[in-house]
Amino acid sequence: MARSSGVLEFAVLGLLHDSPMHGYELRKRIGSALGTFRAYSYGSLYPALKTMTSEGLIAADDASGAGRRSKIVYRLTADGKERFQELVSESGPASWEDEAFGVHLAFFARTNKDVRLRILEGRRSRLEERLDTLRTSLRQASERVDSYTLALQEHGLESVEREVRWLNELIATEREDSPSSRGSKAVLDAPTQQRNNKE
Amino acid sequence: MARSSGVLEFAVLGLLHDSPMHGYELRKRIGSALGTFRAYSYGSLYPALKTMTSEGLIAADDASGAGRRSKIVYRLTADGKERFQELVSESGPASWEDEAFGVHLAFFARTNKDVRLRILEGRRSRLEERLDTLRTSLRQASERVDSYTLALQEHGLESVEREVRWLNELIATEREDSPSSRGSKAVLDAPTQQRNNKE
DNA sequence: GTTAGCATGTAAGGAGTTACATGATTTT
DNA sequence: AAAATCATGTAACTCCTTACATGCTAAC
């Protein structure tokens, strides 16, 4: 029965956590809450809402008084809240990927500090891997390719470098206010978990 | 018969333009030529090569001497060259989208200056629209959302601003060496074409 | 002789968009 | 009363990935 999954489900749960909403509004909020980086069409959203309803994660308060249609307000169920807690606490490799990282960050306020640090540091280590690859390929490229391709790759490299610096600031801020609960050493040493490196 | 389309086709044509290659190598080159921003699996590439062969855009020099399989070298046909010229000369709205813009830039060396300027300026105007939206939503967000969501949106905004500055440099360079062929005024005034603004 | 990397391919399915179809409500 | 925008929904389709299956070739 079409198991719901991914960023869209996560975003819906997170937004409905604040307050019930109908699909149309949900869609706009997803677009702005997730920054630039993701917008969904109704063709994705409405079927997803149906699936999630049938899974019991959300419930439709169908506001049709008489024969009218229109305005279905969705709210989170207890199961939905639980599911959201699961998702928001996930700090493994999957949560440092581009899209997933974005949603996680958007709902950071509902996580605890240890999880936040693990995700931020995980993300950073993921980007550092990418920098390695990029720098290597750029060194080789310098002699083979034209100036445009080079410019493109350099710009890409600098973007990643910028994100790393940005993460460093976030991590520093995170450590600053209240020097972290016990277990801080474990957190500091945490990342660089083995990831499936097929390729 | 499965009309081929999009970034992958474009990239294949562009790379085969340099020299014949087999699929395996094509895949690696696509990954590096297109910077970070796109990599395709074999599950996409090989079927695409088949389709393109059946369309006559590329031809398979099947190097199987006797009963052996393995190593199919693809090369561009006359039709393929023509198709590539069409694609590379396309400077309309579609070419300023993220992915499309990336491929276009990767093959900029095979375009003429007028096309390059139209694409760069188109891309810039597209990003400026995005900046507008982003700045507006950020102004509203400042009072509603938590510091993490804010940080995410600010970082997104700055990334776009950076790309605009980068484009400005590319455009300046483009204009610098040889002050442009006749028709320069038309080129300078060109962009901001009406785009389909449904939303 | 076995592991690693080169090389090609297919089937099933996931995730999302576009285009269409419909209707309610608000604004001008 | 027309136009805009709010609101919901579906069907067809596109594009791509994953997982699997196969075999060659070089290096250790």
Side-chain angles (χ1 to χ4, degrees):
Chain A
M1 184 151 273
R3 183 88 178 77
S4 73
S5 67
V7 172
L8 181 53
E9 176 194 297
F10 195 174
V12 167
L13 293 174
L15 289 173
L16 290 183
H17 210 282
D18 284 333
S19 70
M21 244 175 274
H22 51 262
Y24 192 84
E25 184 162 6
L26 221 27
R27 193 216 175 208
K28 282 191 301 183
R29 298 257 192 128
I30 289 170
S32 56
L34 273 49
T36 343
F37 72 87
R38 207 55 238 264
Y40 290 92
S41 66
Y42 297 119
S44 301
L45 180 59
Y46 287 118
L49 290 173
K50 270 206 166 170
T51 305
M52 290 173 71
T53 303
S54 83
E55 289 172 329
L57 298 174
I58 60 179
D61 283 332
D62 204 325
S64 30
R68 326 158 42 232
R69 176 170 77 149
S70 192
K71 282 252 186 193
I72 300 173
V73 178
Y74 291 96
R75 59 181 165 75
L76 225 51
T77 63
D79 278 9
K81 271 180 199 161
E82 210 181 302
R83 187 79 225 279
F84 180 69
Q85 282 312 319
E86 273 172 47
L87 289 171
V88 98
S89 309
E90 215 283 292
S91 62
S95 69
W96 17 104
E97 293 309 324
D98 296 328
E99 287 217 345
F101 174 70
V103 211
H104 272 274
L105 200 63
F107 298 125
F108 249 27
R110 278 199 270 286
T111 329
N112 65 310
K113 182 177 292 206
D114 286 1
V115 170
R116 290 199 294 264
L117 274 171
R118 266 199 297 280
I119 293 175
L120 291 172
E121 286 168 344
R123 175 66 178 171
R124 183 176 54 184
S125 73
R126 166 69 88 259
L127 291 182
E128 268 155 3
E129 286 171 23
R130 204 177 287 176
L131 281 179
D132 262 20
T133 318
L134 245 39
R135 289 202 181 105
T136 306
S137 102
L138 196 54
R139 229 173 295 128
Q140 296 167 340
S142 321
E143 288 135 30
R144 277 190 301 95
V145 307
D146 58 279
S147 62
Y148 297 108
T149 310
L150 214 58
L152 181 63
Q153 288 181 227
E154 273 164 5
H155 182 252
L157 179 65
E158 280 161 27
S159 296
V160 181
E161 286 170 340
R162 259 194 78 247
E163 193 181 336
V164 170
R165 288 196 294 274
W166 177 70
L167 284 172
N168 283 335
E169 280 171 43
L170 287 181
I171 290 167
T173 310
E174 203 62 64
R175 292 228 181 86
E176 233 165 66
D177 18 70
S178 120
S180 153
S181 57
R182 103 250 96 100
S184 66
K185 181 150 196 317
V187 170
L188 286 164
D189 292 347
T192 325
Q193 291 170 29
Q194 201 58 28
R195 55 176 294 230
N196 46 343
N197 234 340
K198 49 185 165 188
E199 165 60 3
Chain B
M1 185 152 274
R3 184 88 177 76
S4 73
S5 66
V7 172
L8 182 52
E9 177 194 297
F10 195 174
V12 167
L13 293 174
L15 289 172
L16 289 183
H17 211 282
D18 284 334
S19 68
M21 243 176 275
H22 50 263
Y24 192 85
E25 184 161 6
L26 221 27
R27 193 218 176 206
K28 282 190 302 183
R29 297 258 192 127
I30 289 170
S32 55
L34 273 49
T36 344
F37 73 88
R38 207 58 241 261
Y40 291 91
S41 66
Y42 297 119
S44 302
L45 180 59
Y46 287 119
L49 290 173
K50 270 205 167 170
T51 306
M52 291 174 71
T53 304
S54 81
E55 289 172 330
L57 299 174
I58 59 179
D61 283 332
D62 205 326
S64 31
R68 338 173 12 246
R69 178 171 74 150
S70 192
K71 283 249 185 192
I72 300 173
V73 178
Y74 290 97
R75 61 181 164 75
L76 225 52
T77 63
D79 278 9
K81 270 179 201 165
E82 209 179 303
R83 187 78 224 279
F84 180 70
Q85 283 311 321
E86 273 173 48
L87 289 171
V88 99
S89 310
E90 214 283 292
S91 61
S95 70
W96 16 105
E97 293 308 325
D98 296 328
E99 286 217 346
F101 174 69
V103 211
H104 272 273
L105 199 64
F107 298 124
F108 249 27
R110 277 198 272 285
T111 328
N112 65 310
K113 182 177 294 206
D114 286 0
V115 171
R116 290 199 293 262
L117 274 170
R118 266 199 298 279
I119 293 176
L120 290 172
E121 286 167 344
R123 175 65 179 171
R124 185 175 54 183
S125 72
R126 167 68 89 260
L127 290 181
E128 268 156 3
E129 286 170 21
R130 203 177 286 176
L131 282 179
D132 261 19
T133 318
L134 245 39
R135 289 201 181 107
T136 306
S137 102
L138 196 54
R139 231 174 292 127
Q140 295 167 337
S142 319
E143 288 136 29
R144 280 189 303 94
V145 308
D146 58 278
S147 62
Y148 297 108
T149 310
L150 213 59
L152 181 62
Q153 287 181 228
E154 274 165 4
H155 182 252
L157 180 64
E158 280 161 27
S159 295
V160 181
E161 286 171 341
R162 259 194 78 245
E163 193 181 335
V164 171
R165 287 197 295 276
W166 176 69
L167 284 171
N168 283 335
E169 281 171 43
L170 288 182
I171 291 167
T173 309
E174 202 63 62
R175 291 227 183 87
E176 234 165 66
D177 18 71
S178 120
S180 154
S181 56
R182 104 249 95 106
S184 65
K185 182 149 195 318
V187 169
L188 288 164
D189 293 346
T192 325
Q193 291 169 29
Q194 202 57 29
R195 56 176 292 230
N196 45 345
N197 234 339
K198 49 185 165 191
E199 165 62 6

